[in-house]
PDB file of all heavy atoms in Angstrom:
ATOM      1  N   GLY A  49      14.963  -4.742  22.164  1.00 86.00           N
ATOM      2  CA  GLY A  49      14.956  -3.352  22.614  1.00 86.00           C
ATOM      3  C   GLY A  49      15.734  -2.480  21.639  1.00 86.00           C
ATOM      4  O   GLY A  49      15.790  -1.203  21.978  1.00 86.00           O
ATOM      5  N   GLY A  50      16.115  -2.937  20.561  1.00 91.00           N
ATOM      6  CA  GLY A  50      16.803  -2.022  19.488  1.00 91.00           C
ATOM      7  C   GLY A  50      15.720  -1.550  18.474  1.00 91.00           C
ATOM      8  O   GLY A  50      14.533  -1.562  18.749  1.00 91.00           O
ATOM      9  N   SER A  51      16.136  -1.176  17.347  1.00 93.00           N
ATOM     10  CA  SER A  51      15.329  -0.884  16.273  1.00 93.00           C
ATOM     11  C   SER A  51      15.889  -1.310  15.023  1.00 93.00           C
ATOM     12  O   SER A  51      17.121  -1.593  14.840  1.00 93.00           O
ATOM     13  CB  SER A  51      15.067   0.602  16.231  1.00 93.00           C
ATOM     14  OG  SER A  51      16.241   1.339  15.930  1.00 93.00           O
ATOM     15  N   MET A  52      14.998  -1.425  13.854  1.00 95.00           N
ATOM     16  CA  MET A  52      15.434  -1.825  12.639  1.00 95.00           C
ATOM     17  C   MET A  52      14.683  -1.072  11.628  1.00 95.00           C
ATOM     18  O   MET A  52      13.594  -0.510  11.888  1.00 95.00           O
ATOM     19  CB  MET A  52      15.261  -3.294  12.426  1.00 95.00           C
ATOM     20  CG  MET A  52      13.759  -3.752  12.355  1.00 95.00           C
ATOM     21  SD  MET A  52      13.529  -5.548  12.186  1.00 95.00           S
ATOM     22  CE  MET A  52      14.653  -5.956  10.726  1.00 95.00           C
ATOM     23  N   PRO A  53      15.307  -0.755  10.401  1.00 95.00           N
ATOM     24  CA  PRO A  53      14.580  -0.158   9.394  1.00 95.00           C
ATOM     25  C   PRO A  53      13.327  -0.847   8.969  1.00 95.00           C
ATOM     26  O   PRO A  53      13.233  -2.014   8.924  1.00 95.00           O
ATOM     27  CB  PRO A  53      15.572  -0.083   8.257  1.00 95.00           C
ATOM     28  CG  PRO A  53      16.919  -0.390   8.813  1.00 95.00           C
ATOM     29  CD  PRO A  53      16.695  -1.224  10.010  1.00 95.00           C
ATOM     30  N   MET A  54      12.238   0.001   8.750  1.00 96.00           N
ATOM     31  CA  MET A  54      10.942  -0.708   8.389  1.00 96.00           C
ATOM     32  C   MET A  54      11.025  -1.509   7.093  1.00 96.00           C
ATOM     33  O   MET A  54      10.419  -2.575   7.036  1.00 96.00           O
ATOM     34  CB  MET A  54       9.891   0.410   8.294  1.00 96.00           C
ATOM     35  CG  MET A  54       8.553   0.068   8.134  1.00 96.00           C
ATOM     36  SD  MET A  54       8.057  -0.722   9.788  1.00 96.00           S
ATOM     37  CE  MET A  54       6.751  -1.790   9.264  1.00 96.00           C
ATOM     38  N   MET A  55      11.787  -0.984   6.188  1.00 97.00           N
ATOM     39  CA  MET A  55      11.936  -1.719   4.884  1.00 97.00           C
ATOM     40  C   MET A  55      12.554  -3.104   5.149  1.00 97.00           C
ATOM     41  O   MET A  55      12.206  -4.042   4.455  1.00 97.00           O
ATOM     42  CB  MET A  55      12.718  -0.947   3.891  1.00 97.00           C
ATOM     43  CG  MET A  55      12.110  -0.363   2.698  1.00 97.00           C
ATOM     44  SD  MET A  55      10.648  -1.155   2.084  1.00 97.00           S
ATOM     45  CE  MET A  55       9.958   0.238   1.256  1.00 97.00           C
ATOM     46  N   ALA A  56      13.434  -3.257   6.114  1.00 96.00           N
ATOM     47  CA  ALA A  56      14.022  -4.544   6.518  1.00 96.00           C
ATOM     48  C   ALA A  56      13.003  -5.377   7.040  1.00 96.00           C
ATOM     49  O   ALA A  56      13.014  -6.631   6.876  1.00 96.00           O
ATOM     50  CB  ALA A  56      15.210  -4.317   7.419  1.00 96.00           C
ATOM     51  N   MET A  57      12.115  -4.874   7.838  1.00 95.00           N
ATOM     52  CA  MET A  57      11.046  -5.643   8.422  1.00 95.00           C
ATOM     53  C   MET A  57      10.099  -6.150   7.297  1.00 95.00           C
ATOM     54  O   MET A  57       9.673  -7.263   7.320  1.00 95.00           O
ATOM     55  CB  MET A  57      10.297  -4.843   9.460  1.00 95.00           C
ATOM     56  CG  MET A  57       9.174  -5.651  10.243  1.00 95.00           C
ATOM     57  SD  MET A  57       8.291  -4.728  11.398  1.00 95.00           S
ATOM     58  CE  MET A  57       9.377  -4.919  12.753  1.00 95.00           C
ATOM     59  N   VAL A  58       9.875  -5.223   6.382  1.00 97.00           N
ATOM     60  CA  VAL A  58       9.056  -5.776   5.138  1.00 97.00           C
ATOM     61  C   VAL A  58       9.736  -6.922   4.537  1.00 97.00           C
ATOM     62  O   VAL A  58       9.117  -7.930   4.165  1.00 97.00           O
ATOM     63  CB  VAL A  58       8.786  -4.571   4.150  1.00 97.00           C
ATOM     64  CG1 VAL A  58       8.196  -5.038   2.900  1.00 97.00           C
ATOM     65  CG2 VAL A  58       7.934  -3.483   4.872  1.00 97.00           C
ATOM     66  N   ALA A  59      10.990  -6.879   4.348  1.00 97.00           N
ATOM     67  CA  ALA A  59      11.739  -7.917   3.699  1.00 97.00           C
ATOM     68  C   ALA A  59      11.719  -9.258   4.539  1.00 97.00           C
ATOM     69  O   ALA A  59      11.784 -10.371   3.974  1.00 97.00           O
ATOM     70  CB  ALA A  59      13.286  -7.542   3.485  1.00 97.00           C
ATOM     71  N   MET A  60      11.459  -9.178   5.814  1.00 96.00           N
ATOM     72  CA  MET A  60      11.460 -10.356   6.683  1.00 96.00           C
ATOM     73  C   MET A  60      10.344 -11.186   6.247  1.00 96.00           C
ATOM     74  O   MET A  60      10.295 -12.423   6.643  1.00 96.00           O
ATOM     75  CB  MET A  60      11.389  -9.962   8.191  1.00 96.00           C
ATOM     76  CG  MET A  60      12.729  -9.327   8.611  1.00 96.00           C
ATOM     77  SD  MET A  60      12.625  -8.681  10.364  1.00 96.00           S
ATOM     78  CE  MET A  60      12.318 -10.272  11.278  1.00 96.00           C
ATOM     79  N   VAL A  61       9.365 -10.593   5.667  1.00 96.00           N
ATOM     80  CA  VAL A  61       8.106 -11.425   5.299  1.00 96.00           C
ATOM     81  C   VAL A  61       8.502 -12.487   4.158  1.00 96.00           C
ATOM     82  O   VAL A  61       7.972 -13.624   4.205  1.00 96.00           O
ATOM     83  CB  VAL A  61       7.047 -10.453   4.696  1.00 96.00           C
ATOM     84  CG1 VAL A  61       5.848 -11.343   4.034  1.00 96.00           C
ATOM     85  CG2 VAL A  61       6.468  -9.555   5.770  1.00 96.00           C
ATOM     86  N   VAL A  62       9.579 -12.220   3.453  1.00 97.00           N
ATOM     87  CA  VAL A  62      10.089 -13.065   2.526  1.00 97.00           C
ATOM     88  C   VAL A  62      11.445 -13.627   2.887  1.00 97.00           C
ATOM     89  O   VAL A  62      12.282 -14.028   2.087  1.00 97.00           O
ATOM     90  CB  VAL A  62      10.082 -12.515   1.005  1.00 97.00           C
ATOM     91  CG1 VAL A  62       8.669 -12.332   0.443  1.00 97.00           C
ATOM     92  CG2 VAL A  62      10.797 -11.173   1.023  1.00 97.00           C
ATOM     93  N   HIS A  63      11.705 -13.729   4.206  1.00 97.00           N
ATOM     94  CA  HIS A  63      12.808 -14.364   4.810  1.00 97.00           C
ATOM     95  C   HIS A  63      14.063 -13.732   4.434  1.00 97.00           C
ATOM     96  O   HIS A  63      15.085 -14.242   4.198  1.00 97.00           O
ATOM     97  CB  HIS A  63      12.874 -15.843   4.468  1.00 97.00           C
ATOM     98  CG  HIS A  63      11.558 -16.487   4.894  1.00 97.00           C
ATOM     99  ND1 HIS A  63      11.120 -16.669   6.181  1.00 97.00           N
ATOM    100  CD2 HIS A  63      10.607 -17.052   4.101  1.00 97.00           C
ATOM    101  CE1 HIS A  63       9.997 -17.296   6.149  1.00 97.00           C
ATOM    102  NE2 HIS A  63       9.617 -17.544   5.031  1.00 97.00           N
ATOM    103  N   SER A  64      14.144 -12.377   4.499  1.00 98.00           N
ATOM    104  CA  SER A  64      15.412 -11.577   4.151  1.00 98.00           C
ATOM    105  C   SER A  64      15.348 -10.451   5.076  1.00 98.00           C
ATOM    106  O   SER A  64      14.358 -10.041   5.727  1.00 98.00           O
ATOM    107  CB  SER A  64      15.379 -11.058   2.694  1.00 98.00           C
ATOM    108  OG  SER A  64      16.445 -10.200   2.365  1.00 98.00           O
ATOM    109  N   THR A  65      16.544  -9.743   5.207  1.00 95.00           N
ATOM    110  CA  THR A  65      16.526  -8.474   5.922  1.00 95.00           C
ATOM    111  C   THR A  65      17.155  -7.327   5.045  1.00 95.00           C
ATOM    112  O   THR A  65      17.361  -6.355   5.456  1.00 95.00           O
ATOM    113  CB  THR A  65      17.418  -8.653   7.234  1.00 95.00           C
ATOM    114  OG1 THR A  65      18.747  -9.105   6.789  1.00 95.00           O
ATOM    115  CG2 THR A  65      16.846  -9.553   8.211  1.00 95.00           C
ATOM    116  N   SER A  66      17.253  -7.657   3.693  1.00 98.00           N
ATOM    117  CA  SER A  66      17.838  -6.591   2.774  1.00 98.00           C
ATOM    118  C   SER A  66      16.790  -5.679   2.406  1.00 98.00           C
ATOM    119  O   SER A  66      15.593  -5.876   2.197  1.00 98.00           O
ATOM    120  CB  SER A  66      18.248  -7.433   1.554  1.00 98.00           C
ATOM    121  OG  SER A  66      18.394  -6.513   0.412  1.00 98.00           O
ATOM    122  N   ILE A  67      17.279  -4.400   2.599  1.00 97.00           N
ATOM    123  CA  ILE A  67      16.340  -3.321   2.296  1.00 97.00           C
ATOM    124  C   ILE A  67      16.058  -3.298   0.771  1.00 97.00           C
ATOM    125  O   ILE A  67      14.782  -3.060   0.539  1.00 97.00           O
ATOM    126  CB  ILE A  67      17.004  -1.994   2.713  1.00 97.00           C
ATOM    127  CG1 ILE A  67      17.014  -1.787   4.211  1.00 97.00           C
ATOM    128  CG2 ILE A  67      16.308  -0.714   2.114  1.00 97.00           C
ATOM    129  CD1 ILE A  67      17.799  -0.684   4.768  1.00 97.00           C
ATOM    130  N   ALA A  68      16.896  -3.694  -0.086  1.00 98.00           N
ATOM    131  CA  ALA A  68      16.590  -3.812  -1.529  1.00 98.00           C
ATOM    132  C   ALA A  68      15.474  -4.921  -1.742  1.00 98.00           C
ATOM    133  O   ALA A  68      14.518  -4.578  -2.466  1.00 98.00           O
ATOM    134  CB  ALA A  68      17.807  -4.212  -2.320  1.00 98.00           C
ATOM    135  N   VAL A  69      15.606  -6.004  -1.030  1.00 98.00           N
ATOM    136  CA  VAL A  69      14.516  -7.058  -1.132  1.00 98.00           C
ATOM    137  C   VAL A  69      13.221  -6.354  -0.580  1.00 98.00           C
ATOM    138  O   VAL A  69      12.070  -6.718  -1.103  1.00 98.00           O
ATOM    139  CB  VAL A  69      14.907  -8.301  -0.404  1.00 98.00           C
ATOM    140  CG1 VAL A  69      13.763  -9.283  -0.272  1.00 98.00           C
ATOM    141  CG2 VAL A  69      16.157  -9.004  -1.155  1.00 98.00           C
ATOM    142  N   GLY A  70      13.276  -5.675   0.494  1.00 98.00           N
ATOM    143  CA  GLY A  70      11.982  -5.100   1.027  1.00 98.00           C
ATOM    144  C   GLY A  70      11.384  -4.197  -0.049  1.00 98.00           C
ATOM    145  O   GLY A  70      10.191  -4.158  -0.182  1.00 98.00           O
TER     146      GLY A  70
END
Side-chain angles (χ1 to χ4, degrees):
S51 67
M52 70 183 308
M54 192 66 203
M55 250 331 155
M57 184 177 277
V58 170
M60 289 174 65
V61 172
V62 291
H63 309 291
S64 176
T65 56
S66 165
I67 290 173
V69 170

